[in-house]
Each structure stands twice: as C-alpha cells, then as structure tokens.
C-alpha cells in the first residue's frame, strides 16, 4: 500500500482506478497489451466476470460503487466524501482518495 502523500498526489485515471479496484473493491486487476486494463469481480450468482477497468476516479457514477463498497465495509461518513479536499479534487477523485485513506487508516 502507498503512503498518504502518494495517494493524495495521484491523478485521476488508470493507476488510481487500478488501486481502487484492487485495494478497496477487492477485485483482481490485470493489464494486457491487447485487451487493455481489466478487473475481475463476482456477479450476484457468484460467477467470475472480467470486464474493462471501471473509471472510479473519473466518473461520478462509478464513484457511487466506491461509496457503496465503503458503506458495506462499515464506513459511516461516506456521504461527505464527495467534498474531500475542499475543492482540490473533482468529486469522483475525492471519493476514491478518501476511500483509500480511510481503508488504510482503519487497517481493513
């Protein structure tokens, strides 16, 4: 896991999305020259699904999945994460960074 400063310095995009997929969402992540960046998750029936890497840090709709996962993990203040950084970050980026920092602090 990275340090707090390293997480805060990350830009929205591939690396931050991959970190969120792996560290928070619990998905396996793979980078392939031909297929591109993918993540593996389990669907509701328990089947393993590979799909294109979700743009968690770039899309507010995708960041909603981060909020939902953090709530499942027991974080109760997730509704305020959109404002993390007091305007320094776009909303999806703020959610992702705050989620990673909270998970790191909680040791989950």
């Amino acid at each position: 896991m990275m340090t707090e400063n390293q997480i805060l310095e990350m830009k929205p995009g591939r690396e931050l999305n991959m970190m969120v997929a792996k560290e928070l969402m619990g998905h396996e992540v793979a980078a392939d020259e031909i297929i591109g960046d993918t993540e593996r998750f389990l669907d509701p029936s328990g089947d393993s699904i590979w799909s294109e890497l979700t743009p968690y840090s770039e899309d507010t709709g995708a960041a909603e999945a981060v909020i939902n996962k953090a709530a499942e993990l027991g974080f109760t203040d997730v509704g305020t994460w959109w404002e993390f950084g007091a305007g320094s970050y776009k909303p999806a980026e703020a959610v992702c960074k705050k989620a990673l920092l909270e998970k790191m602090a909680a040791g989950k």
Side-chain angles (χ1 to χ4, degrees):
M1 188 72 164
M2 301 174 98
T3 67
E4 179 178 339
N5 284 338
Q6 288 172 319
I7 291 169
L8 293 174
E9 290 173 3
M10 293 181 84
K11 302 290 182 214
R14 180 179 186 256
E15 287 185 34
L16 185 52
N17 295 336
M18 290 178 102
M19 179 175 259
V20 168
K22 182 178 178 185
E23 300 296 333
L24 185 78
M25 304 304 283
H27 298 168
E28 186 176 338
V29 177
D32 184 90
E33 241 178 67
I34 297 169
I35 299 172
D37 298 328
T38 57
E39 64 183 303
R40 182 179 68 85
F41 61 94
L42 299 178
D43 72 7
S45 66
D47 292 331
S48 178
I49 307 286
W50 281 96
S51 70
E52 183 178 334
L53 181 65
T54 305
Y56 300 108
S57 66
E58 303 161 279
D59 179 83
T60 54
E64 283 286 342
V66 175
I67 292 285
N68 293 337
K69 181 65 174 185
E72 284 177 26
L73 293 172
F75 296 103
T76 57
D77 63 341
V78 294
T80 64
W81 291 6
W82 297 102
E83 291 89 31
F84 175 69
S88 300
Y89 312 115
K90 291 182 179 180
E93 176 186 8
V95 164
C96 290
K97 289 180 177 183
K98 181 67 171 171
L100 290 170
L101 293 174
E102 289 294 324
K103 186 173 185 287
M104 184 172 68
K108 291 187 178 188

